[in-house]
Amino acid sequence: MSHAEAIARSITCWLALTAIAGYAIDALGFGVQPWAALAVALVVTGAVALMWPRPYGSQYADIVAWLGLVMFLIAMFLRMSWPSLVPPGRGPDLTHHLLLVDYIQQTGHLVHDRSLDGAMGEMAHYTPAAHLLAVIAGALFGVDGLRAFFPLVVVCAALTGGFVFLIARRIGLELSYAIITVVLLFLPAQYFFGAFTHDGFLPQTVSTLFAVAAWWAITQWDDQPSSIGAIAIAIFLVATFLSWPIWIGPPLLVFFALLLKPAAAQEVPPSRIAPFAIVVVPLLAIFLVHSWNRWGWIVIVRTSGAVLHPSLESFGWLLPLLAAIGIVFSLSDRRARVTIVLLMAIVLQAVTLFAIAKAQGADTPYMAFKMVYLAIYPAVVLGAFAIANPERVRLARRREPDESKGALGWVIAALLVILVVRPVLNAPRSIPVVDLDLNAAGQWLRANGGGTCSDYLVADAETAYWLHLAVLGNPRSTERMRELDRYDPRAAMAPWITAEGRSYAIADLRLLPAEVRSRVQIVTQIGNAAVIARPDATIKGCD
């Protein structure tokens, strides 16, 4: 194991174990205890590091490249929401995840009351590791979960890119071609970072880190089978399940395939019971703990909803072509075959989920389409393998060392950065649904008892939806929610002109017409947001 791999493994183990420890502490009845979870995770991560053989060689180039890639990705992603650092995505998923973060912060524990299904919907039984990590990160840095969630997801996405680089190095790609694997992730940009900068799939992005880390750990275990390697796989798979369980299938299938692989004639048959038990027992235990009296979460596999449809427009043609070529070239490479098996397992799960969705009559095979978000990672590794193959063949035919090894890869990497990454950096930023001033105004209203009787004078229906649910903490299954489904910014202003509004309104002052502003009282103002009231209003109805 290289030093870069050891660093990436330890950081990700700490994140995974923090989520697992936080979940376990709450399950034992102590509620959410951020500092205890961080401390337990740090101790266990240190113990795991001590059990692992020391990294070999210097390989400073790998450390510099890995660190440079991770830091570049963090800076690029944070720039998309700077300086507020609130989640820049859209869609109801974003609001629902922020609702669960708010619940954990307000109550100090995870959701245990089954009667909250009506108020919180699927979030009452959602796997909560990503939300828990957001709350813990907020406690660590002295901010709330809303401010901590996006930076947390950014770090996870950057570490995911770093693991892709490390996997490419582990299967034998030269440094320049391993860097190309990360550059290729920008071809399907809507899947790589659009998942959390546009679609609001925040827990899915956190789970992707742990799933890709499990893939790396399985690749490492295939090279050097050991009990500590199996422990790392177990940690990452448990964290994957607790973050977003849909990703658990493909890496688990790959591990089982390697476990059942017959030993070579000259090798001693490996023990299969011990690694199987190390990986499966904790995963089965956490599955049973989370599912006990909470079987409703399983319906997630047949959920329908808005999701990016796989197409040449969204995915492009270059990456699938390179991945297909890479499959052909890597069939004879033992270490690369793990990546092929992973991609095939993802395809198999997608087909299965597609069949389940169609059998249930879903309008969109939501979860089947979601598998593309995971498929891009083995695809870029295979794509880089295809790009590197001509030089690998040339070097294999030479008997003496070649000082130009990897030189062509640097040229290709530079061209891809110019053609693929640069346009992404120059793309305009979207206006986020979430706003810190509106959040502060909503929190003030909630603290002062007006959260259940408020209008929303804002520019976007999704902002009104977010304020009503995630900021003010109102239930989802009410008539007011059905009104918000038909929200229109212009129509929302009208009752405040005719004095038929509710008791209060959270208003974006930049949008408030003069005829409304002149008739209302500003109860409190925070930046560009305010809580307004009209003393002579005839209340139209409250939640």
Side-chain angles (χ1 to χ4, degrees):
M1 180 182 297
S2 68
H3 285 83
E5 288 179 301
I7 296 170
R9 178 207 68 215
S10 295
I11 293 172
T12 310
C13 260
W14 186 46
L15 282 172
L17 288 166
T18 298
I20 295 168
Y23 185 90
I25 291 169
D26 179 82
L28 292 172
F30 297 102
V32 174
Q33 302 293 335
W35 295 104
L38 288 166
V40 170
L42 189 61
V43 170
V44 178
T45 300
V48 169
L50 290 173
M51 294 170 64
W52 218 294
R54 292 179 63 83
Y56 56 81
S58 55
Q59 294 186 324
Y60 293 119
D62 276 22
I63 296 176
V64 171
W66 175 82
L67 186 61
L69 289 168
V70 170
M71 295 307 295
F72 168 77
L73 292 174
I74 289 175
M76 193 196 83
F77 297 149
L78 287 180
R79 175 178 171 270
M80 296 179 179
S81 187
W82 189 267
S84 65
L85 297 181
V86 295
R90 302 184 66 85
D93 279 352
L94 175 60
T95 291
H96 298 164
H97 295 310
L98 294 178
L99 168 64
L100 183 52
V101 169
D102 175 75
Y103 177 89
I104 296 170
Q105 285 186 157
Q106 295 290 334
T107 63
H109 59 75
L110 301 179
V111 182
H112 302 294
D113 187 354
R114 299 283 70 79
S115 67
L116 290 174
D117 284 13
M120 299 184 69
E122 74 279 5
M123 305 314 294
H125 42 75
Y126 205 92
T127 45
H131 315 81
L132 188 56
L133 281 174
V135 173
I136 292 173
L140 179 62
F141 293 104
V143 297
D144 60 15
L146 172 65
R147 290 290 301 272
F149 211 162
F150 183 67
L152 167 71
V153 171
V154 162
V155 170
C156 289
L159 288 172
T160 303
F163 269 112
V164 170
F165 165 80
L166 295 173
I167 291 167
R169 290 293 282 153
R170 178 159 284 279
I171 68 173
L173 292 183
E174 292 297 327
L175 183 63
S176 57
Y177 293 102
I179 291 174
I180 286 174
T181 61
V182 181
V183 178
L184 288 177
L185 284 171
F186 286 84
L187 287 174
Q190 294 180 79
Y191 287 99
F192 176 35
F193 58 85
F196 61 93
T197 61
H198 180 271
D199 297 327
F201 300 151
L202 307 184
Q204 175 186 304
T205 304
V206 175
S207 183
T208 300
L209 165 62
F210 298 134
V212 173
W215 167 28
W216 166 82
I218 291 168
T219 305
Q220 191 278 333
W221 180 84
D222 184 44
D223 283 341
Q224 298 172 311
S226 64
S227 295
I228 190 59
I231 290 172
I233 295 170
I235 291 171
F236 293 140
L237 287 180
V238 168
T240 301
F241 173 83
L242 283 178
S243 302
W244 201 65
I246 297 300
W247 285 169
I248 199 71
L252 195 59
L253 285 175
V254 173
F255 176 72
F256 288 158
L258 292 176
L259 203 61
L260 298 175
K261 181 180 66 175
Q266 68 275 17
E267 294 180 354
V268 178
S271 171
R272 294 170 178 170
I273 297 177
F276 176 85
I278 290 171
V279 171
V280 173
V281 169
L283 190 59
L284 182 60
I286 206 72
F287 169 82
L288 292 174
V289 168
H290 186 74
S291 301
W292 199 259
N293 291 328
R294 198 188 278 136
W295 294 101
W297 73 267
I298 296 179
V299 301
I300 192 175
V301 300
R302 52 185 177 87
T303 299
S304 183
V307 67
L308 191 63
H309 287 220
S311 65
L312 289 179
E313 182 180 356
S314 64
F315 201 79
W317 59 269
L318 182 57
L319 183 57
L321 177 62
L322 289 174
I325 296 172
I327 290 174
V328 175
F329 287 157
S330 60
L331 281 172
S332 59
D333 190 299
R334 180 189 63 82
R335 292 181 296 179
R337 282 200 294 267
V338 173
T339 302
I340 299 175
V341 174
L342 177 66
L343 184 58
M344 295 302 103
I346 293 171
V347 172
L348 176 62
Q349 180 164 313
V351 171
T352 303
L353 292 171
F354 185 90
I356 292 173
K358 288 303 181 182
Q360 296 291 333
D363 297 330
T364 302
Y366 183 74
M367 288 302 171
F369 287 170
K370 278 288 195 87
M371 296 307 298
V372 180
Y373 287 87
L374 184 59
I376 64 171
Y377 297 99
V380 297
V381 173
L382 293 169
F385 201 97
I387 295 172
N389 192 70
E391 186 168 2
R392 287 167 60 91
V393 172
R394 179 180 66 83
L395 293 174
R397 292 173 179 172
R398 296 177 65 95
R399 294 184 178 181
E400 67 278 6
D402 190 340
E403 295 182 358
S404 67
K405 183 169 62 173
L408 180 60
W410 292 112
V411 175
I412 297 173
L415 288 173
L416 286 173
V417 167
I418 295 171
L419 296 174
V420 178
V421 179
R422 187 178 177 183
V424 173
L425 293 176
N426 295 330
R429 292 193 291 175
S430 61
I431 299 174
V433 169
V434 175
D435 180 86
L436 289 177
D437 289 347
L438 291 172
N439 177 68
Q443 294 293 345
W444 183 93
L445 183 60
R446 183 176 184 177
N448 287 274
T452 61
C453 194
S454 176
D455 280 328
Y456 311 103
L457 308 184
V458 293
D460 196 293
E462 292 186 14
T463 300
Y465 187 73
W466 160 68
L467 285 169
H468 188 73
L469 284 182
V471 179
L472 298 183
N474 290 304
R476 288 173 64 175
S477 56
T478 62
E479 179 60 33
R480 178 67 171 130
M481 282 303 307
R482 285 181 279 277
E483 289 181 23
L484 287 176
D485 289 339
R486 304 184 298 271
Y487 179 87
D488 178 77
R490 290 180 180 273
M493 295 286 183
W496 286 83
I497 298 174
T498 60
E500 295 176 349
R502 288 180 166 82
S503 299
Y504 301 98
I506 300 172
D508 187 335
L509 295 178
R510 295 166 296 185
L511 307 172
L512 205 62
E515 55 188 331
V516 174
R517 188 188 286 262
S518 63
R519 289 174 166 87
V520 301
Q521 172 191 357
I522 294 181
V523 181
T524 187
Q525 180 176 346
I526 303 169
N528 291 315
V531 175
I532 63 174
R534 185 161 178 175
D536 60 342
T538 302
I539 299 176
K540 188 175 58 178
C542 292
D543 295 326

